[in-house]
Structure formats: structure tokens, C-alpha cells
Amino acid sequence: MIQSSELILNPDGSVYHLNLRPEHIAHDIIFVGDQNRVEKITQFFDSIEHSAQKREFKTQTGIYKGKRLSVVSTGIGPDNIDIVLNELDALVNIDLKTRQPKEKLTSLNIIRIGTSGSLQEDIPVDSFVMSKFGLGLDNMLRSYLIDDVSIAEIEDAFVKHTNWDPKKGKPYVIKCSETLEKLIESDRIFKGITATAGGFYGPQGRVLRLNIQDEELNNKMDNFSFNETKITNLEMETAAIYGLSALLGHNALSLNAIIANRASGTFSEDPYKAVDELIAYTLNKLAEK
């Protein structure tokens, strides 16, 4: 039995942070970072059956073109992903009354919709990027046993290319779900490696008043390539989503609307339109499933 100190439940039987019970979530889930973006997606739903919020974790579940979907805001960073994915998994794969893992496990389909800047000049603003791989620079996933799901070949190539400081912990690489990749892909979507940082400032190469360990890291990342696959963008969630989903047996895919291109110095004239188009594209692909 899983002890109450390990799996914390609220008085109403809901999981601690998400404030949800098993009946509150669909098996097809869209992740967003910002809680205010949840309703930017659910405004397209035909109906909403459940809404809940605790801290930055907002959830709405409803129907879109006959498909039951949930939208969950994760907040920012790999630490929040650790909370959200473990609690969602508990909702479907642990009997919350007996506190025992279920014999028959359920696989969730999780798609993250975000915004990002492109690191490559040939990926223009207003385009869509699919994360073929998540490259974790954050070290969170190293708390788990990940050797069976991580790709050491790419990890080692990246460490060598960047002369990575081992004191920061070894980066990890996880592949996206092939099932969701095939469902979502099209000629409109670029594919590449998404790097996941553990912070916004120093970990992403931003300098305010503090010097950083490697001032050239961003440039090294820009020109890294593995089998002609490049790092397309840098954010704070994808690799953690891919890693925990792979370990727990869920399907995960990360999509980003590109609103800036660092290589060309351009910014979208209408970033909200790009995000809305990615939302509509993703919803319609899920409804067809």
C-alpha cells in the first residue's frame, strides 16, 4: 500500500495539487503552461463538464466534436511537470481508496501546446514545431531510473559537442510518442530537438547581474546536430514531460507555435493568431482520432 505521506489526498479524495478525482479527467489531455491559456482552448469546446483550480494548476474537461478532452495548466518548469504527471498517473493507475496500483494500467495521451522562439533561421515565425526529442538540461529526471527510456548516444554527442560541465549533471534525451507523432504530423510541421532548461535566466543563457557558467552554451546548442536533427527551440517543460510519460507508460508530444526567430531577429506580427491556429490544428487532429 502506498503511504499517505507519499500519495497525498485532499479531504474529498482528490489528488493534492491538481484537486482532481479520477472521473474528472479524460484520457486525451492537452497541457499548457499558463492557466489563462486553458480557456483559450476550451472556448472551442461544445461543452464543459468539469472545472477545477488549485494554485497554478487549472483543469477543464469537456467535449470537442464528440471527443472528450481535458486541458491542464502545468505552470512553469520541470518541477511542476513532476507534480502534474505523477498525479495524473495516480488518477488512472492507482486505486485511490485502497492505495494500490491497478493491475490493468491506462495510457494517457498528452499533448503540450506552447509558444517558443526558434534557434534555426530556416524555421520561420508563425510556423509549428514538433519536438521529436526532448533534451533535458534540468536534471530533475535523474532522480528516477531512466536508462531504459533515455538515448545515451545523443546525450553523449551533446556532452562532447558542448564540453558540458559534469558538475551540472548529465543531460538526458527522450523521444516523443511515435503514436502521437504520426497522428499530428503534416507538411506544415517542423521537427527537431527541444531543449528543456531548469530556469529562465542563467539556465537559458540570460545575464542580468550574475555571471553564468558557460557564456557560449547557446551558440553551441544552435549548431549542434545529431543525424541532421538540430535543436529547434529552448523552453522549460518538454523533456520532463517526455521522460515521465515514457517511464509511466503514457504517450506524450510537445508542439510549439514559433513566435520569434533568434537567428534572423524576427518576431511574429500576430503571435496570438499563431497560437490560435496551433490550438485549432491540434484539436481537430485529436477529434479525428
Side-chain angles (χ1 to χ4, degrees), residues 39-50:
E39 290 179 352
K40 283 183 66 68
I41 296 178
T42 60
Q43 67 177 328
F44 297 106
F45 283 17
D46 303 312
S47 61
I48 295 174
E49 65 183 64
H50 184 78

Side-chain angles (χ1 to χ4, degrees), residues 25-151:
I25 63 164
H27 290 176
D28 294 283
I29 300 174
I30 294 173
F31 279 2
V32 294
D34 184 356
Q35 57 194 290
N36 293 322
R37 194 172 287 165
V38 171
E39 290 179 352
K40 283 183 66 68
I41 296 178
T42 60
Q43 67 177 328
F44 297 106
F45 283 17
D46 303 312
S47 61
I48 295 174
E49 65 183 64
H50 184 78
S51 297
Q53 181 165 3
K54 186 176 180 181
R55 302 181 187 179
E56 62 265 54
F57 307 113
K58 182 173 183 176
T59 301
Q60 289 193 326
T61 296
I63 304 296
Y64 176 79
K65 293 184 178 180
K67 186 79 170 181
R68 189 171 186 252
L69 300 169
S70 292
V71 184
V72 179
S73 64
T74 64
I76 299 174
D79 51 342
N80 275 15
I81 297 302
D82 185 57
I83 290 171
V84 173
L85 257 162
N86 274 291
E87 292 194 2
L88 286 174
D89 180 76
L91 289 173
V92 295
N93 289 323
I94 297 173
D95 186 318
L96 300 185
K97 293 182 179 178
T98 66
R99 294 182 169 273
Q100 297 283 359
K102 296 178 180 179
E103 290 186 13
K104 184 178 179 181
L105 300 178
T106 296
S107 291
L108 299 171
N109 296 311
I110 297 165
I111 297 181
R112 179 181 185 272
I113 295 179
T115 57
S116 188
S118 170
L119 304 183
Q120 305 298 333
E121 193 165 8
D122 61 349
I123 300 178
V125 295
D126 301 325
S127 63
F128 302 158
V129 165
M130 174 187 292
S131 306
K132 180 87 172 178
F133 302 96
L135 166 64
L137 311 178
D138 57 281
N139 224 31
M140 182 278 289
L141 205 69
R142 292 286 178 192
S143 295
Y144 299 94
L145 302 173
I146 68 171
D147 288 352
D148 288 343
V149 299
S150 60
I151 306 172

Side-chain angles (χ1 to χ4, degrees), residues 101-259:
K102 296 178 180 179
E103 290 186 13
K104 184 178 179 181
L105 300 178
T106 296
S107 291
L108 299 171
N109 296 311
I110 297 165
I111 297 181
R112 179 181 185 272
I113 295 179
T115 57
S116 188
S118 170
L119 304 183
Q120 305 298 333
E121 193 165 8
D122 61 349
I123 300 178
V125 295
D126 301 325
S127 63
F128 302 158
V129 165
M130 174 187 292
S131 306
K132 180 87 172 178
F133 302 96
L135 166 64
L137 311 178
D138 57 281
N139 224 31
M140 182 278 289
L141 205 69
R142 292 286 178 192
S143 295
Y144 299 94
L145 302 173
I146 68 171
D147 288 352
D148 288 343
V149 299
S150 60
I151 306 172
E153 197 176 9
I154 305 179
E155 295 168 0
D156 293 341
F158 180 79
V159 167
K160 181 178 180 180
H161 178 80
T162 58
N163 192 27
W164 187 262
D165 187 340
K167 293 195 295 290
K168 295 196 293 186
K170 186 179 181 182
Y172 60 90
V173 176
I174 313 288
K175 193 177 185 299
C176 72
S177 160
E178 292 184 3
T179 300
L180 292 180
E181 178 185 6
K182 290 175 182 175
L183 174 69
I184 300 296
E185 67 184 356
S186 73
D187 293 340
R188 183 170 184 182
I189 292 186
F190 294 85
K191 296 182 183 181
I193 301 169
T194 293
T196 296
F200 183 77
Y201 289 96
Q204 293 190 35
R206 293 182 174 92
V207 177
L208 302 183
R209 291 202 313 116
L210 297 176
N211 292 330
I212 57 177
Q213 181 269 330
D214 186 353
E215 295 179 353
E216 295 301 315
L217 180 59
N218 280 9
N219 291 331
K220 296 173 188 175
M221 290 170 58
D222 289 351
N223 56 45
F224 175 74
S225 178
F226 186 86
N227 291 342
E228 299 184 1
T229 301
K230 296 181 178 180
I231 298 176
T232 53
N233 58 318
L234 176 61
E235 44 84 273
M236 295 179 63
E237 290 83 29
T238 293
I241 293 170
Y242 282 12
L244 286 173
S245 295
L247 290 170
L248 292 166
H250 304 300
N251 297 307
L253 189 70
S254 181
L255 303 171
N256 275 278
I258 297 301
I259 61 173

